[in-house]
């Protein structure tokens, strides 16, 4: 792992742009919101890294603290953990040089530390970020004590889950040939711990299902476990180009619907803008705005139009905002709020739906009610 760590921090991988953007954009809006709750905010980055990459770009601790200084100054504490002495020392220096006095770095093994934190952080707003190299550090066993915190206090978790490792450890072909050795058994035990059950077997050992479909099914199943406690969840695939395999999923779980609608737009923008850049670099389309590219069938305007009509018929008189939440729940990351709003206006202009004004302002806004025609 040492060599891998060193390579990793040599310079950012292009696809890390997605992860960093999501983290930065989410921290800004999240902190501005939770800072109004009146509780002290605790930010935990359990697999922190050195803070600054060798090419000078910022890692998660600096991204987190920059947002916290701007939106929650004097009302937050940030805790950064790392198992490696060299990264820990580099991070201490980076935090000190940036003047982040509310940030504290610890040299520790997070696998042994973080599940004890919820006992200490009883009445705080807590944000937990888990970005380990492998699977162990983002397992259900790590999350569970955080998921079970008192729901009076805000808990949000963002993690990255490495996909190639899942397939390697499941060892599909070896299992099909009946070649299960001690190492494979250990891997399988680890997968069961990480996913909080052995449902991963039914998913990963399906015949004639491609690897990516299995990955989406697995993340969905993993999130439906945590959704018993924190029901608003979603994820963004992270990959080099749109036709490359998924390197990891960036996943969030939250107790608040705002997190889901915010993450929807943040992940949509980070993913599709980076895929546009990676797919079209050096081609005619490079200079085009990613939003001007033709939409794929699964994200088409016609599909959203049909879904809106269906939801408005099912929930007549529901607000624009609540219908949007329903769209996001069933189609996470597919559409942006701006696109939804302009489509509503078009649909109302064509008399496909009734889009009322909010009587208290005389304008269309998030409280506007929608009806079928
Ligand atoms: C993917 S990197 C994190 C990168 C970081 N989020 C950033 O943006 O710079 C994972 C980090 O976790 C550290 N690590 C690995 N196992 C750990 C453990 N058990 N406890 C604490 N840190 C660990 C590694 O040394 C490495 O610095």
């Amino acid at each position: 792992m040492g060599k891998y760590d060193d390579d990793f921090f040599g310079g950012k991988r292009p696809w890390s742009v997605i992860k960093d953007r999501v983290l930065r954009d989410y921290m800004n809006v999240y902190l501005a919101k939770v800072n109004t709750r009146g509780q002290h905010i605790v930010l935990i980055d359990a697999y922190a890294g050195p803070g600054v990459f060798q090419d000078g770009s910022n890692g998660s601790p600096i991204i987190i603290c920059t947002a916290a200084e701007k939106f929650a100054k004097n009302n937050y504490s940030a805790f950064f953990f790392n198992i490696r002495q060299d990264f820990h020392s580099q991070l201490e220096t980076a935090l000190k040089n940036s003047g982040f006095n509310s940030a504290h770095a610890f040299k520790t093994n997070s696998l042994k530390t973080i599940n004890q934190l919820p006992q200490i952080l009883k009445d705080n707003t807590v944000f937990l970020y888990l970005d380990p190299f492998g699977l162990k550090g983002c397992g259900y066993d790590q999350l569970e004590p955080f998921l079970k915190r008192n729901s009076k206090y805000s808990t949000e978790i963002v993690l990255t889950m490495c996909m190639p490792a899942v397939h390697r450890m499941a060892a599909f072909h070896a299992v099909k040939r009946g070649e299960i050795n001690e190492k494979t058994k250990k891997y399988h035990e680890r997968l069961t711990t990480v996913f909080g059950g052995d449902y991963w077997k039914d998913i990963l050992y399906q015949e004639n299902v491609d690897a990516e479909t299995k990955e989406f099914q697995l993340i969905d199943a993993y999130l439906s476990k945590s959704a018993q406690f924190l029901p608003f969840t979603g994820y963004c695939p992270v990959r080099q180009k749109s036709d490359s395999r998924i390197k990891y999923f960036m996943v969030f779980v939250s107790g608040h619907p705002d997190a889901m609608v915010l993450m929807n737009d943040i992940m949509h923008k980070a993913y599709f803008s980076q895929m546009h850049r990676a797919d079209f670099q050096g081609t005619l389309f490079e200079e085009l705005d990613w939003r001007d590219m033709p939409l794929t069938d699964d994200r088409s305007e016609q599909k959203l139009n049909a879904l809106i009509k269906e939801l408005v018929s099912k929930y007549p008189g529901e607000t624009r905002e609540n219908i949007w939440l329903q769209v996001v729940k069933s189609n996470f990351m597919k559409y942006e709020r701006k696109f939804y709003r302009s489509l509503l206006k078009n649909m109302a202009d064509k008399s496909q739906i009734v889009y009322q004004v909010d009587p208290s302002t005389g304008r269309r806004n998030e409280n506007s009610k929608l009806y079928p025609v």
Side-chain angles (χ1 to χ4, degrees):
M1 162 161 345
K3 160 105 178 49
Y4 186 51
D5 282 20
D6 293 332
D7 289 351
F8 180 87
F9 294 110
K12 290 245 172 181
R13 304 294 192 275
W15 56 88
S16 292
V17 170
I18 298 177
K19 181 171 76 173
D20 293 346
R21 247 191 223 152
V22 169
L23 184 64
R24 184 198 60 209
D25 290 354
Y26 188 64
M27 288 319 288
N28 286 341
V29 284
Y30 162 79
L31 287 163
K33 265 182 181 286
V34 292
N35 197 36
T36 59
R37 290 176 67 97
Q39 294 155 3
H40 189 73
I41 303 163
V42 177
L43 309 168
I44 306 159
D45 181 354
Y47 302 90
V52 180
F53 282 59
Q54 280 164 28
D55 64 3
S57 53
N58 289 334
S60 52
I62 306 296
I63 294 172
I64 290 171
C65 287
T66 304
E69 287 291 309
K70 202 162 163 197
F71 293 102
K73 198 169 173 64
N74 302 324
N75 189 32
Y76 82 96
S77 306
F79 299 130
F80 299 106
F81 302 146
N82 207 297
I83 201 164
R84 276 185 49 164
Q85 181 62 51
D86 52 349
F87 291 156
H88 164 68
S89 304
Q90 288 170 40
L91 179 57
E92 277 199 313
T93 308
L95 294 172
K96 203 165 150 226
N97 290 346
S98 306
F100 296 143
N101 299 326
S102 305
H104 311 276
F106 300 89
K107 186 200 163 290
T108 185
N109 181 352
S110 287
L111 293 173
K112 295 189 178 152
T113 316
I114 62 152
N115 52 14
Q116 293 160 26
L117 293 176
Q119 290 162 25
I120 307 163
L121 307 171
K122 285 209 163 69
D123 51 7
N124 298 111
T125 290
V126 172
F127 175 86
L128 173 67
Y129 184 50
L130 302 173
D131 180 26
F133 282 126
L135 275 180
K136 251 193 197 169
C138 55
Y140 194 75
D141 54 328
Q142 303 286 307
L143 259 57
E144 205 170 14
F146 286 88
L147 295 172
K148 291 183 173 168
R149 286 182 80 229
N150 185 335
S151 59
K152 253 172 66 187
Y153 302 102
S154 164
T155 305
E156 304 238 344
I157 305 169
V158 175
L159 59 88
T160 60
M161 186 165 275
C162 177
M163 280 300 120
V166 171
H167 294 291
R168 202 170 52 244
M169 289 164 75
F172 176 84
H173 296 294
V175 169
K176 290 287 157 202
R177 289 192 301 268
E179 293 165 10
I180 303 180
N181 56 27
E182 283 312 305
K183 194 171 155 198
T184 327
K185 276 189 198 156
K186 279 222 165 69
Y187 279 164
H188 291 176
E189 279 164 23
R190 189 181 304 167
L191 286 174
T192 299
T193 309
V194 164
F195 290 109
D198 64 2
Y199 58 90
W200 61 268
K201 292 181 183 167
D202 290 340
I203 295 170
L204 294 178
Y205 295 150
Q206 293 172 99
E207 300 275 4
N208 305 320
V209 177
D210 64 273
E212 191 163 308
T213 304
K214 291 178 186 175
E215 290 165 9
F216 280 97
Q217 290 175 354
L218 188 57
I219 291 292
D220 281 332
Y222 179 70
L223 285 181
S224 65
K225 267 184 84 67
S226 55
Q228 297 166 56
F229 306 100
L230 299 177
F232 300 99
T233 66
Y235 54 84
C236 172
V238 176
R239 51 176 135 217
Q240 193 161 1
K241 285 178 159 196
S242 47
D243 59 359
S244 323
R245 71 182 293 194
I246 295 170
K247 292 193 180 292
Y248 48 83
F249 282 104
M250 190 165 195
V251 175
F252 75 91
V253 293
S254 168
H256 205 289
D258 284 358
M260 194 174 195
V261 291
L262 288 168
M263 273 298 202
N264 177 75
D265 275 28
I266 289 170
M267 289 181 159
H268 178 101
K269 184 175 165 200
Y271 180 79
F272 290 110
S273 63
Q274 177 57 22
M275 287 304 102
H276 178 80
R277 199 167 303 126
D279 291 348
F280 297 115
Q281 203 169 27
T283 75
L284 270 178
F285 296 128
E286 186 176 8
E287 297 302 321
L288 266 189
D289 190 305
W290 62 276
R291 287 192 175 97
D292 293 336
M293 295 302 286
L295 294 173
T296 49
D297 281 351
D298 63 325
R299 300 196 289 124
S300 69
E301 186 176 308
Q302 291 88 317
K303 275 221 161 132
L304 183 57
N305 182 306
L307 178 61
I308 291 170
K309 280 186 190 151
E310 187 190 315
L311 288 168
V312 167
S313 299
K314 195 168 168 193
Y315 307 109
E318 195 48 271
T319 61
R320 178 179 92 182
E321 189 60 17
N322 284 343
I323 295 292
W324 175 231
L325 183 60
Q326 295 298 330
V327 171
V328 171
K329 267 188 185 162
S330 55
N331 287 272
F332 187 77
M333 237 185 89
K334 285 197 183 148
Y335 306 101
E336 282 184 296
R337 185 197 288 264
K338 224 160 87 182
F339 185 72
Y340 162 74
R341 280 171 49 182
S342 84
L343 183 57
L344 283 186
K345 189 177 171 306
N346 285 344
M347 290 172 74
D349 290 348
K350 291 182 192 153
S351 304
Q352 294 178 349
I353 53 164
V354 176
Y355 184 4
Q356 290 189 335
V357 295
D358 173 359
S360 65
T361 61
R363 300 172 72 95
R364 284 174 172 161
N365 61 25
E366 60 191 22
N367 300 317
S368 290
K369 293 186 172 172
L370 304 175
Y371 293 91
V373 282

